[in-house]
Amino acid sequence: MSTAEIQPAPTTADVPELVVGFDLDMTLIDSRPGIQAVWDLLAAETGVPIDSDLVVSRLGPPLTIEMANWFPPEQIDAMVVRYREHYPSHAITGSLPLPGAAESLAAVRALRGRTMVVSAKYTPSVLLHMQHLGLDIDEPVGDLHGAQKGTALREHKATIYVGDHTADIEGARAAGAVAVAVATGPFTADELRAYGADVVLNDLTEFPAWLDAYVLEQRLEALMKRLSGYDKMVVAFSGGADSAFLLAAAVRAIGPANVVAATAISPSLPAAELEPAARFADSLGVRHLTPHTHEMDREGYQANAGDRCYFCKAELVETLQPIADEFGITAIATGTNADDAIAGFRPGIRAAFERGALTPLKDARLTKAQIREASRSWGLETSDKPAAACLSSRIAYGIRITPNLLARVDRAEEVVRSRLTPYGVQNVRVRDLGDAASIEIDGDLLDRVDHEPLIAAVVAEGFPAARLDPRGFRSGSMNERLKDPEKYR
């Protein structure tokens, strides 16, 4: 298959995309000082006695409603215009992010979700606040209040809405979203709860932990529902954290007697991976098979261009298919996760998809971090296992892959790891660049260990030269060396 034909696999999901909406005033930001300054300015200009303390104690409703408390109907529109003219110069710099605001937005990002602000505030003012405070929002929406907010939330498929006001609860209800209330505005936690909030938090500092737990629960439920739909399953089990978790989940869903773990043996599998994989499968009580794959016989694999993984994964799935047929199994699943699906270079995902392989972790939108967290809660020994990509990923693109090169990398990594074991090393990569080896270790070890013995040990395994990468370990760092990476995205 030509490179031009290799495209990313289609996106499928068993759970909706995570989209979280936030109210602005007294949810994400404390805008009271700036707003009060604008109202005081209006009072000075018009001579109307305005109790700005009272105004900022009840933020939430549209501006026109508050204006009606101080000006006659025929003046309201003009006062709104004047208010908005003053707002950029007097209200923006006086506002501050509430505790936990930036962390809450980051928590959504970490879960591969999108964020939006839905506020009663004038949309240009919303944008000014976001820009001034450096709060990264995907979609800002203004001029909506109460149940009207549900329109924007539905349009952007928001599943959660966070606010401090009872009107925000109405907006969440109107959109069918989970109503998360924070008691940082005019209502107490008890009042918000009584009004019907699904979740009540003291403030946004509690939101990231709640969100992590809630989303993980939703995604695990989706995973188990998907797996329970199969009578039997073959799991492509590399021994890594992802496929180990998938294997354990399949056992929970349909029982060990209905699950087969298959660990492919080839020159690209690090020798140290096989025994732990066998032990893990045995601990689950599943049948563990070790078929030999022959990706080295495929020209596209040996040529080692940016699409190498396509040919490797094709070989794997085509090797597992006869095994599945032998046991009367129609489902072959890989440990591809949600992070893999958006990574820059994953042609193997397409190869597996074309051959009918399933990706239950990806379909449940489970990220690598979530898989590790769930693995810890299940007591799986693989929860903190370092990433262990196949040995071919250590060979620079364009260098023809041979069993000897893979074996040399494997030996070099083992000797480096053994020397760094007393330091608690997690990640070791020896990258074959052709004229030299690049040694990658955990960044925090670079200044703690003597480089020369590591370099000498790698050279002793047959490399002409070696050096430590000062940037430390980086997963997929070989992809940085592709001359035309867009061909393989």
Side-chain angles (χ1 to χ4, degrees), residues 215-225 245 366 374 378:
V215 172
L216 179 58
E217 180 182 4
Q218 297 294 306
R219 292 176 178 179
L220 287 177
E221 286 181 2
L223 173 67
M224 300 308 289
K225 181 178 180 180
F245 178 71
L366 284 161
W378 288 5

Side-chain angles (χ1 to χ4, degrees), residues 29-53:
I29 68 173
D30 184 352
S31 53
R32 290 174 299 183
I35 290 175
Q36 188 163 19
V38 177
W39 281 97
D40 288 340
L41 188 59
L42 281 183
E45 284 185 349
T46 62
V48 174
I50 298 173
D51 186 346
S52 60
D53 287 329

Side-chain angles (χ1 to χ4, degrees), residues 72-131:
E74 65 272 14
Q75 295 182 22
I76 289 177
D77 288 345
M79 288 299 99
V80 167
V81 171
R82 190 62 178 147
Y83 178 96
R84 288 174 174 171
E85 288 174 348
H86 286 313
Y87 199 95
S89 300
H90 296 86
I92 302 301
T93 57
S95 300
L96 297 171
L98 284 168
E103 293 81 0
S104 294
L105 298 177
V108 178
R109 298 275 188 217
L111 294 168
R112 303 299 181 192
R114 293 190 293 114
T115 56
M116 60 186 303
V117 162
V118 186
S119 171
K121 191 181 295 296
Y122 187 45
T123 301
S125 298
V126 173
L127 289 168
L128 287 173
H129 277 297
M130 296 297 98
Q131 292 166 0

Side-chain angles (χ1 to χ4, degrees), residues 351-381:
F353 173 81
E354 290 175 346
R355 288 155 181 80
L358 307 173
T359 53
L361 303 180
K362 178 177 76 70
D363 296 342
R365 297 189 187 274
L366 284 161
T367 66
K368 186 77 168 185
Q370 287 183 309
I371 290 166
R372 291 194 184 280
E373 176 61 28
S375 296
R376 279 190 288 273
S377 70
W378 288 5
L380 302 183
E381 63 186 55

Side-chain angles (χ1 to χ4, degrees), residues 20-24 27 118 160-164 168 172 178-182 201 204 207 210:
V20 180
F22 293 87
D23 175 51
L24 185 62
T27 298
V118 186
I160 298 169
Y161 185 58
V162 187
D164 65 284
D168 298 323
V178 176
V180 178
V182 287
L201 307 174
L204 281 182
F207 181 75
W210 173 83

Side-chain angles (χ1 to χ4, degrees), residues 227 336 429:
L227 294 175
T336 300
R429 293 288 187 273

